[in-house]
Amino acid sequence: MFQKVKDRLKKFEQEHEIYVDAQDAKSYWFVVARIPKKQDSLHHLHRAKKYISGLNEEGNVLVFSEPEITENYSIENWGKMDSFDDFVDKALASILADKEESDKGLKEGCGTSCD
């Protein structure tokens, strides 16, 4: 991975306390984020989110809200992405938007049934 992208991910992690990993594989790109859940407890819970796309995918991105369950995903179109850098930029923006929605309580939670 290019040093510029690594530096940007490290800065993002420090500023937002969201752990991010990204990889530019030969045939696809992916970004995985561990987003902290806002809560009033001593435990720090995170939820993972994974984004997969590639140069020839015409802006289509697979979004796994629960990467452990590969059957549950959605497809989004992020527009033209000419490089891995473009993909990382759009993924980081999506991660921040998702975190803000979650912090405001706009995302659906699991109520009291979560373990």
Side-chain angles (χ1 to χ4, degrees):
M1 183 177 1
F2 301 110
Q3 189 62 38
K4 182 176 118 178
V5 171
K6 282 185 177 183
D7 292 342
R8 193 169 47 209
L9 293 177
K10 186 171 189 95
K11 182 179 181 200
F12 183 85
E13 287 178 351
Q14 291 170 343
E15 290 176 353
H16 303 288
E17 297 180 8
I18 298 173
Y19 306 103
V20 183
D21 183 30
Q23 186 172 348
D24 183 0
K26 289 183 179 183
S27 59
Y28 64 93
W29 306 318
F30 76 81
V31 170
V32 178
R34 287 183 42 228
I35 304 166
K37 291 182 179 181
K38 187 177 180 182
Q39 60 185 36
D40 298 327
S41 76
L42 297 174
H43 300 286
H44 297 284
L45 299 177
H46 292 81
R47 60 187 172 82
K49 198 150 190 182
K50 186 173 189 176
Y51 305 88
I52 302 174
S53 190
L55 183 59
N56 298 319
E57 298 302 322
E58 299 177 355
N60 293 314
V61 179
L62 293 175
V63 180
F64 294 88
S65 295
E66 297 180 49
E68 305 83 28
I69 305 172
T70 57
E71 298 87 32
N72 295 338
Y73 66 89
S74 62
I75 300 173
E76 297 178 5
N77 189 293
W78 291 357
K80 188 172 176 147
M81 293 182 286
D82 292 324
S83 67
F84 178 61
D85 286 350
D86 291 344
F87 173 68
V88 170
D89 288 341
K90 291 183 179 196
L92 295 179
S94 179
I95 292 164
L96 274 182
D98 187 55
K99 182 182 182 310
E100 288 173 8
E101 285 180 10
S102 180
D103 288 350
K104 291 178 183 175
L106 300 175
K107 286 277 184 180
E108 238 182 67
C110 57
T112 58
S113 64
C114 293
D115 295 321

